[in-house]
């Protein structure tokens, strides 16, 4: 009930309504203004902008109460918001949500602003977790300006997945759109950007323009939320200082004072305590200091860092859902021509290293990179190294080069190597190889390369590719198979072989250029293919293409598990972490089969010998970790994350220079510190001190509701607003109430075949899915929460006890604001029998009431004895305050306000 604004109506605690901020309660009133606590925060408003709302004690005095349907609808809306603000369970994700994802949302959104590092294992759904976190914040408008920073290869993926899964629409940052005239950062409020682009610019070489672009970003309107993916790339060194990426995020954060910051990373600790603490200091400078002791700050980790491992992840019934993948090895042997080429190339690399030792420091570094690139290319395929040699010979013969461009690319390579951006590293290696023709690798290099090329041209069929086709036919007949390779020449070679055997339409591909050149068709013609990575993934997942051949561009941000459980490594990247990422494309939520992984090995190569010994070493490390952990958990990802990529580069590149009879001693010496006691201690301390989901501890708190539980509320809301919902096998259709669309261009006048079923939406049309984040559903919640209905009476056959629902919030807002929570009390006789109800229990109970009955629309007639009603409300307040610990809210100064109450008929 609304009241005219009069003197005395605005005393402390009085309920009021504001046209912008919604419902709130008065803190203090002056002559002209009133300080009010709203859900969005504390605001000072003009008195004539406020509408005084009757309290429930005043509403009890009315001779006629509200209809039960109005009160039920209001309480449903309040419960829905409370549940979703905490757990994100009603977000419009197209796949079923897992307990650990809901728990991550709850942890992160328990206070505002929020600052967390989410370091879950690969494949646990970080994009889903991000969407669950963001949806309630965007709907409540706590977050208006959102900045997502990620590696360049993942920009498209973040934009695509947040849009298709949660209808969160990010604008990708493009440097060409960022000029002084366009004012990009002020005109776009939700942006996804490559952190490499922002820190380095693009091909634009003008330092002044780069600085201007950076300054426009720093000086733009503050961001409410900054989300950084692959946050371990924000490096800080004790002696060298911070990287450009770290400095950029720090500068943006300082400008956006009071903003929220979320880091996502699978490898938070890169081997140096200083760098790890510096990352935490960026998140919470009030808690962490990189210059202080690591051990002394461990106790603070649970308040800032989350890590969930596949070993401990369950479904809603508590069943573990991930199986450890199976790795098999398949051996092949070089042909005589391949053996001759391999020996000649090994000799070339050894001589090249000796020659490079006498070059200047800069030229030596470049020559070494070129030799490493040759080694990697050759281990992938003869086709890959042949293409590179041809390009290098063309460069040597034409001498058309720019040494400045070469140096720039070498510098980019060093930065990318530090960041571990796989597909771009492989591409840069080939670019450097082509540009470096100005630097000789040895005396008479052109002659030596020509001889190598002649031998390479004698290789008509590559035994590795033949072995792969043989495996497909013999071991994996009829299966969909995912192939990974580092280089596009190898990709095209394998595509050619598969097309020859199984037809052109059997294969699709993913790489960084969305283009595969030099593919030989079954009729012998050479052809180029073009494919968007999302289209390729969709075709593969739906069975349109049996095979997908991917470079490292598919190693991150792409889900390929819907129709495939077999992976073949065509070649092995020199960094084992990439293998983990590759397998993560299949061994992730939604995979219903045991994932099988095949590696190709050649006993005649030094690389194969090193891989054998490295796998033995990694197995021992995992065994040592298992011995010191309380529960079994795969920690290898964390250990590898602590190891510099340069370590593995050196290991594989130096191997061919070591005599075979000395390999074991050399390997033991080189890897002596890999997974050593320092690393084991760091991992043990890290994992033992973070927040993590445990189904046994949290199963009782998890909301036992899903998207379908919103259907009754939505139908009732439409009905109360003069519209009828029509159900059919195709979904639900309705005409939108006229007043809902005013000033809301995103709300259509009519909707057809909508659904609350995630599975239906995923298979047919994601746009049909209703839930929190869909504008018409959000409007329904908003309208219902604004209802002034507070008290009603139900027949005893439907309500045996008074139900009082309250909103609990923390009055303290000095540092962090914790969201309000809705809870209910079923009043028992005696009062000791009263039961506390969580928000999801309230919704479940209300959904069970017969809302379509005619009496639900009739105003309630209270009895003349109001004392029993007042007593129930007072008892509810008392029960709530005495059982706050049960709700685990962490409020420092809690207060409870009654929203509405339902009473049984006497």
């Amino acid at each position: 009930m609304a009241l005219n604004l009069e003197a005395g109506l605005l005393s402390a605690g009085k309920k009021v309504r504001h046209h912008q901020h919604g419902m709130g309660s008065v803190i203090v009133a002056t002559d002209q203004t009133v300080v009010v606590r709203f859900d969005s925060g504390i605001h000072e408003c003009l008195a004539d902008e406020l509408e005084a709302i009757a309290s429930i004690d005043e509403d009890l005095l009315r001779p006629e109460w509200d209809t039960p349907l109005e009160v039920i609808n209001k309480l449903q809306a309040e419960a829905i918001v409370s549940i979703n603000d905490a757990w994100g369970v009603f977000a419009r994700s197209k796949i079923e949500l897992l307990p650990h994802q809901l728990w991550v949302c709850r942890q992160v959104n328990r206070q505002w602003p929020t600052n967390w590092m989410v370091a879950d294992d690969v494949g646990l759904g970080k994009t889903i977790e991000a969407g669950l976190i963001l949806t309630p914040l965007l709907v409540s408008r706590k977050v208006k300006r959102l900045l997502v920073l990620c590696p360049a290869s993942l920009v498209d993926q973040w934009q695509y997945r947040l849009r298709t899964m949660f209808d969160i629409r990010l604008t990708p940052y493009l440097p060409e759109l960022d000029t002084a005239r366009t004012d990009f950062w002020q005109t776009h409020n939700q942006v996804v950007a490559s952190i490499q682009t922002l820190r380095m610019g693009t091909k634009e070489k003008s330092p002044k323009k780069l600085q201007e672009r950076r300054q426009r970003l720093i000086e733009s309107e503050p961001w409410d939320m900054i989300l950084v993916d692959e946050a371990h790339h924000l490096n800080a060194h004790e002696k060298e200082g911070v990287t450009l990426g770290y400095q950029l995020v720090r500068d943006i954060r300082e400008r956006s004072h009071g903003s929220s910051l979320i880091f996502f990373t699978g490898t938070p600790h890169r081997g140096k305590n200083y760098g790890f603490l510096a990352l935490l200091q960026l998140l919470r400078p009030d808690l962490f200091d990189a210059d202080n002791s690591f051990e002394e700050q461990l106790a603070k980790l649970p308040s800032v860092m989350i890590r969930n491992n596949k070993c401990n992840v369950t479904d809603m019934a508590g069943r573990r859902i991930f199986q450890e993948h199976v790795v098999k090895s398949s051996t092949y042997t070089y042909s005589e021509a391949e053996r001759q080429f391999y020996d000649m190339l090994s000799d070339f690399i050894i001589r090249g290293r000796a020659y490079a030792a006498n070059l200047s420091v800069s030229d030596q570094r470049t020559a070494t990179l070129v030799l490493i690139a040759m080694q990697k290319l050759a281990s992938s395929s003869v086709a890959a190294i042949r293409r590179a040699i041809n390009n290098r010979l063309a460069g040597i013969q034409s001498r058309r080069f720019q040494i400045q461009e070469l140096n720039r690319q070498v510098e980019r390579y060093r930065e990318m190597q530090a960041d571990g951006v796989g597909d771009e590293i492989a591409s840069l290696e080939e670019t450097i190889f082509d540009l470096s023709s100005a630097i000789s690798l040895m005396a008479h290099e052109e002659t030596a390369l020509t001889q190598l090329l002649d031998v390479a041209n004698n290789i008509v069929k590559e035994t590795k590719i033949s072995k792969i086709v043989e495996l497909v036919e013999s071991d994996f007949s009829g299966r969909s198979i995912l192939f990974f390779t580092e280089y596009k020449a190898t990709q095209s070679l394998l595509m050619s072989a598969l097309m020859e055997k199984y037809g052109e339409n059997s294969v699709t591909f993913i790489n960084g250029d969305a283009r595969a050149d030099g593919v030989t068709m079954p009729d012998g013609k050479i052809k180029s293919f073009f494919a968007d990575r999302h289209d390729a993934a969709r075709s593969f997942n739906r069975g349109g293409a049996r095979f997908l051949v991917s470079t490292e561009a598919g190693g991150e941000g792409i889900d390929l598990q819907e129709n495939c459980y077999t992976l073949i490594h065509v070649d092995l990247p020199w960094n084992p972490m990439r293998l983990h990422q590759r397998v993560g494309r299949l061994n992730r939520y939604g995979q219903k089969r045991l994932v099988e992984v095949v590696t190709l090995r050649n006993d005649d190569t030094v690389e194969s010998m090193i891989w054998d010994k490295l796998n033995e070493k990694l197995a021992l490390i995992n065994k040592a970790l298992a011995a010191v952990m309380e529960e079994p958990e795969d920690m290898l990802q964390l250990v590898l994350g602590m190891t510099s990529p340069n370590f593995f580069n050196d290991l594989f590149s130096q191997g061919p220079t070591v005599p075979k009879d000395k390999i074991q001693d050399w390997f033991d010496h080189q890897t002596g510190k890999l997974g050593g006691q320092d690393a084991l201690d760091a991992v043990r301390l890290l994992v033992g001190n973070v927040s993590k989901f445990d189904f046994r501890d949290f199963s009782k708190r998890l909301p036992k509701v899903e998207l379908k539980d919103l259907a009754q509320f939505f139908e009732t809301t439409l009905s109360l607003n003069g519209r009828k919902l029509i159900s059919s096998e195709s979904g639900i259709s309705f005409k939108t109430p006229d007043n809902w669309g005013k000033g809301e261009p995103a709300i259509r006048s009519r909707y057809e075949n909508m659904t609350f079923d995630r599975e239906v939406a995923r298979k047919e049309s994601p746009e049909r899915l209703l839930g929190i984040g869909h504008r018409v559903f959000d409007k329904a919640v908003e309208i219902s929460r604004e209802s002034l209905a507070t008290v009603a009476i139900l027949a005893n056959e439907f309500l045996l006890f008074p139900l009082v629902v309250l909103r609990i919030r923390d009055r303290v807002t000095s540092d962090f604001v914790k969201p309000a929570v809705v809870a209910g009390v079923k009043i028992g006789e005696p009062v000791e029998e009263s039961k506390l109800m969580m928000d999801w229990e309230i919704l479940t109970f209300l959904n069970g009431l017969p809302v379509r009955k005619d009496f639900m629309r009739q105003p309630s007639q209270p009895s003349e004895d109001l004392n029993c009603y007042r007593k129930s409300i007072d008892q509810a307040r008392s029960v709530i305050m005495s059982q706050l610990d049960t709700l685990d809210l962490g409020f420092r100064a809690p207060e409870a306000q009654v929203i509405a109450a339902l009473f049984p008929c006497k």
Side-chain angles (χ1 to χ4, degrees):
M1 179 176 177
L3 304 173
N4 293 326
L5 200 59
E6 300 173 0
L9 287 179
L10 294 181
S11 58
K14 183 63 185 175
K15 289 172 63 177
V16 293
R17 181 164 59 187
H18 188 269
H19 65 90
Q20 179 181 349
H21 303 302
M23 297 285 194
S25 59
V26 173
I27 297 176
V28 64
T30 64
D31 292 340
Q32 292 184 319
T33 63
V34 184
V35 180
V36 184
R37 186 192 305 274
F38 298 99
D39 285 345
S40 59
I42 295 174
H43 301 278
E44 186 169 0
C45 310
L46 290 172
D48 58 10
E49 292 180 347
L50 297 172
E51 178 184 14
I53 305 298
S55 68
I56 192 167
D57 295 314
E58 294 167 326
D59 281 337
L60 290 176
L61 300 174
R62 286 187 278 132
E64 186 174 80
W65 287 359
D66 306 300
T67 69
L69 193 62
E70 290 173 315
V71 175
I72 290 169
N73 183 247
K74 178 184 178 68
L75 291 179
Q76 285 175 319
E78 293 288 354
I80 287 167
V81 171
S82 177
I83 297 164
N84 200 70
D85 279 356
W87 299 95
V89 69
F90 297 132
R92 296 171 61 227
S93 166
K94 309 308 179 291
I95 66 172
E96 295 300 324
L97 303 175
L98 292 175
H100 79 276
Q101 295 165 343
L102 301 179
W103 177 83
V104 168
C105 175
R106 179 179 181 270
Q107 287 293 100
V108 173
N109 284 350
R110 290 192 76 179
Q111 62 183 30
W112 183 261
T114 185
N115 301 278
W116 282 90
M117 176 188 291
V118 182
D120 284 356
D121 200 359
V122 174
L124 295 190
K126 67 181 174 186
T127 317
I128 295 174
E129 291 171 348
L132 295 182
I133 291 165
L134 290 171
T135 295
L137 298 175
L138 290 167
V139 170
S140 67
R141 298 191 64 76
K142 282 183 179 177
V143 171
K144 298 176 184 176
R145 281 179 56 80
L146 167 66
L147 177 62
V148 177
L149 301 174
C150 62
S153 59
L154 298 182
V155 168
D156 184 46
Q157 184 69 5
W158 272 98
Q159 183 196 22
Y160 175 80
R161 296 198 69 178
L162 286 182
R163 176 177 60 82
T164 58
M165 295 181 71
F166 297 96
D167 201 29
I168 297 173
R169 299 176 181 267
L170 304 177
T171 301
Y173 173 77
L174 298 173
E176 55 268 30
L177 300 181
D178 180 12
T179 66
R181 290 186 177 183
T182 59
D183 202 16
F184 178 89
W185 296 109
Q186 302 286 33
T187 54
H188 295 86
N189 288 326
Q190 296 179 15
V191 179
V192 57
S194 157
I195 198 163
Q196 289 100 342
T197 300
L198 292 178
R199 76 179 187 197
M200 297 190 302
T202 58
K203 293 181 180 179
E204 174 62 62
K205 299 175 184 178
S206 166
K208 182 179 178 182
K209 287 188 177 181
L210 293 178
Q211 183 60 34
E212 287 174 352
R213 280 205 293 264
R214 186 180 187 281
Q215 203 60 31
R216 283 195 291 272
L217 168 59
I218 301 299
E219 294 178 356
S220 64
E221 283 294 310
W223 300 94
D224 302 310
M225 168 76 79
I226 304 164
L227 187 153
V228 184
D229 190 18
E230 303 294 322
H232 53 269
H233 293 164
L234 308 179
N235 294 323
H237 305 279
E238 199 163 4
K239 295 181 180 178
E240 299 173 20
V242 301
T243 59
L244 292 174
Y246 186 103
Q247 183 177 324
L248 177 68
V249 173
R250 183 174 61 189
D251 290 347
I252 297 173
R253 183 75 188 279
E254 289 176 355
R255 167 72 177 176
S256 302
H257 182 70
S259 66
S260 292
L261 183 60
I262 299 177
F263 289 160
F264 283 98
T265 171
T267 53
H269 198 302
R270 304 305 297 273
K272 301 291 184 182
N273 288 341
Y274 183 89
F276 175 64
L277 288 173
L279 203 56
L280 296 179
Q281 187 173 350
L282 196 56
L283 271 175
R284 291 290 302 271
D286 58 320
L287 295 181
F288 295 92
D289 188 333
D291 293 319
N292 292 341
S293 165
F294 174 64
E295 288 75 10
E296 291 177 2
Q297 300 179 75
L298 278 173
K300 303 172 187 175
L301 269 183
S303 62
V304 73
M305 183 175 172
I306 293 168
R307 174 173 166 77
N308 292 304
N309 189 276
K310 283 180 179 174
C311 299
N312 301 320
V313 167
T314 71
D315 61 14
M316 286 296 186
R319 297 182 294 258
R320 298 199 174 186
I321 60 177
F322 286 103
Q323 304 178 71
E324 182 62 31
H325 62 276
V326 175
V327 182
K328 302 176 183 178
S329 181
S330 184
T331 304
Y332 69 99
T333 306
Y334 278 149
S335 66
E336 186 55 40
E338 288 172 318
R339 160 55 57 195
Q340 183 184 0
F341 177 76
Y342 180 80
D343 290 342
M344 284 184 65
L345 181 64
S346 298
D347 180 66
F348 182 96
I349 290 171
I350 291 171
R351 287 190 292 140
R353 281 184 168 275
Y355 184 86
N358 297 313
L359 299 177
S360 67
V361 173
S362 176
D363 287 354
Q364 181 181 359
R365 183 176 65 189
T366 302
T368 300
L369 284 179
V370 172
L371 292 168
I372 288 174
M374 291 183 72
Q375 210 177 328
K376 286 184 175 182
L377 287 158
S379 66
S380 179
S381 69
V382 176
I385 186 64
R386 182 194 292 125
R387 178 188 290 185
I389 291 174
N390 269 319
N391 290 341
R392 183 168 178 82
L393 281 171
I396 290 173
Q397 291 157 5
S398 67
R399 293 296 177 184
R400 293 173 184 170
F401 58 83
Q402 290 185 353
I403 199 69
Q404 183 179 359
E405 177 65 10
L406 171 62
N407 290 334
R408 192 174 78 85
Q409 296 295 348
V410 169
E411 188 59 35
R412 281 192 67 205
Y413 178 88
R414 294 177 69 196
E415 292 178 351
M416 292 295 180
Q417 182 70 25
D419 285 350
V421 186
D423 213 47
E424 295 183 48
I425 289 176
S427 177
L428 271 177
E429 286 170 344
E430 294 180 270
T431 300
I432 291 169
F433 191 89
D434 295 345
L435 288 172
S436 63
S437 56
I439 298 173
S440 295
L441 300 178
M442 62 181 63
H444 311 296
E445 179 194 354
E446 187 174 352
T447 301
L449 285 175
T450 302
Q451 292 171 347
L452 269 175
L453 189 60
D454 289 341
V455 176
N457 288 334
N458 290 332
I459 301 170
V460 180
K461 286 245 181 202
E462 297 200 32
T463 53
K464 179 196 282 187
I465 301 301
S466 298
K467 180 66 176 181
I468 290 173
V469 175
E470 178 188 319
L471 276 172
V472 171
E473 189 67 18
S474 62
D475 292 17
F476 308 119
S477 179
R479 283 196 204 177
S480 290
I481 302 175
L482 170 63
F483 300 91
F484 265 107
T485 176
E486 286 204 281
Y487 298 102
K488 288 181 288 185
T490 306
Q491 182 181 52
S492 295
L493 178 66
L494 180 56
M495 289 173 64
S496 302
L498 293 171
M499 287 180 181
E500 181 181 9
K501 181 76 175 177
Y502 300 101
E504 177 181 344
N505 295 327
S506 67
V507 188
T508 187
F509 72 96
I510 292 175
N511 64 33
D513 299 329
R515 171 177 179 149
D517 294 317
V519 179
T520 304
M521 304 303 294
D523 61 5
K525 292 181 180 178
I526 306 298
K527 185 177 177 180
S528 293
F529 285 84
F530 303 86
D532 174 79
R533 68 204 306 255
H534 299 298
D535 293 339
R538 189 179 302 112
S539 174
F540 184 62
N541 278 326
R542 294 179 179 178
R546 180 183 169 191
F547 308 113
L548 191 152
V549 186
S550 179
T551 63
E552 302 300 338
E556 291 182 332
I558 291 283
D559 296 348
L560 302 170
Q561 78 279 14
E562 290 183 28
N563 194 43
C564 176
Y565 59 95
T566 306
L567 184 154
I568 296 179
H569 295 295
V570 181
D571 48 40
L572 296 176
W574 285 4
N575 188 342
M577 179 63 76
R578 303 246 189 93
L579 298 179
H580 196 87
Q581 292 167 341
R582 288 178 175 185
V583 174
R585 298 308 99 208
L586 296 183
N587 196 22
R588 59 196 304 109
Y589 179 54
Q591 178 58 260
K592 296 179 172 57
R593 303 288 295 269
L594 178 66
V595 173
E596 296 181 35
V597 179
V598 177
T599 61
L600 277 296
R601 61 189 304 279
N602 186 326
D603 290 337
D604 296 331
T605 65
V606 175
E607 287 88 351
S608 181
M609 294 174 62
I610 294 174
W611 263 114
D612 287 345
K613 298 183 184 305
L614 186 57
N615 284 330
E616 291 174 7
K617 176 81 174 181
L618 295 177
L620 288 173
I621 292 171
N622 230 6
K623 187 175 181 180
L625 281 167
V628 298
M629 298 304 299
E630 293 182 5
E631 293 187 11
E633 190 171 334
D634 181 9
M635 298 296 170
L636 203 52
Q637 182 186 8
L638 288 176
V639 173
L640 292 175
M642 293 181 176
T643 308
S644 167
N646 291 328
F647 169 82
F648 297 108
N649 245 12
D650 293 343
L651 191 66
F652 283 97
S653 63
Q654 294 171 16
T657 66
V658 181
K660 286 190 177 182
D661 60 336
K662 305 283 188 183
I663 281 282
Q664 185 64 61
D665 292 340
W666 169 82
F667 180 86
D668 291 342
H669 176 75
Q670 294 295 112
T671 61
K673 293 186 178 180
L674 176 63
Q677 194 59 46
D678 288 348
L680 296 181
D681 288 345
V683 168
R684 180 175 54 80
L685 290 172
L686 198 66
V687 174
N689 286 277
V690 297
S691 290
K692 64 178 72 174
F693 173 76
D694 188 323
F695 187 84
R696 293 166 298 184
D697 292 339
F698 286 90
S699 59
K700 292 182 180 179
R701 300 181 192 176
L702 287 170
K704 309 301 189 294
V705 288
E706 55 184 350
L707 213 51
K708 294 177 183 179
D709 292 305
L710 302 180
Q712 191 205 80
F713 158 77
F714 191 64
E715 180 180 356
T716 300
T717 307
L718 287 175
S719 176
L720 288 171
N721 285 270
R723 292 290 185 261
K724 184 177 181 180
L725 185 147
I726 301 172
S727 297
S728 68
E729 291 183 0
S730 301
I732 57 175
S733 303
F734 54 90
K735 186 178 179 182
T736 309
D738 294 336
N739 62 322
W740 287 18
K742 291 180 180 179
E744 297 279 0
I747 295 180
R748 302 203 302 264
S749 60
R750 184 172 181 81
Y751 291 86
E752 300 284 346
N753 300 327
M754 305 300 286
T755 182
F756 288 100
D757 191 319
R758 298 186 197 275
E759 184 69 12
V760 169
R762 185 177 69 83
K763 290 182 177 180
E764 298 180 13
S765 175
E767 289 73 23
R768 292 170 50 194
L769 189 64
L770 289 169
I772 296 290
H774 193 293
R775 197 64 197 95
V776 75
F777 187 86
D778 294 343
K779 191 67 177 181
V781 172
E782 179 186 323
I783 293 292
S784 298
R785 293 185 76 196
E786 288 177 352
S787 166
L788 299 180
T790 57
V791 284
I793 292 176
L794 272 177
N796 284 32
E797 62 179 301
F798 304 115
L799 186 70
L800 297 174
F801 46 80
L803 172 62
V804 182
V805 179
L806 305 94
R807 181 184 295 107
I808 312 160
R809 60 186 176 192
D810 193 352
R811 296 197 302 272
V812 177
T813 59
S814 57
D815 299 318
F816 299 97
V817 178
K818 293 181 178 291
V821 173
V822 168
V825 179
K826 290 192 296 187
I827 304 299
E829 282 292 342
V831 70
E832 289 76 16
E833 298 295 323
S834 298
K835 181 186 175 184
L836 181 69
M837 297 178 70
M838 290 187 282
D839 42 19
W840 66 268
E841 293 175 312
I842 297 170
L843 181 62
T844 301
F845 171 76
L846 296 174
N847 281 347
L849 295 176
V851 293
R852 293 176 180 173
K853 296 284 188 180
D854 289 341
F855 69 81
M856 285 287 186
R857 295 177 177 272
Q858 302 301 317
S860 301
Q861 304 297 325
S863 69
E864 293 182 2
D865 180 14
L866 298 180
N867 287 329
C868 61
Y869 302 129
R870 293 192 182 102
K871 180 180 178 182
S872 293
I873 289 172
D874 290 340
Q875 287 175 339
R877 290 186 178 113
S878 176
V879 169
I880 282 285
M881 297 306 290
S882 66
Q883 296 189 33
L884 282 177
D885 290 346
T886 307
L887 297 173
D888 187 31
L889 301 177
F891 291 172
R892 288 175 285 179
E895 68 173 6
Q897 294 181 334
V898 177
I899 299 172
L902 290 168
F903 297 99
C905 180
K906 290 198 172 185

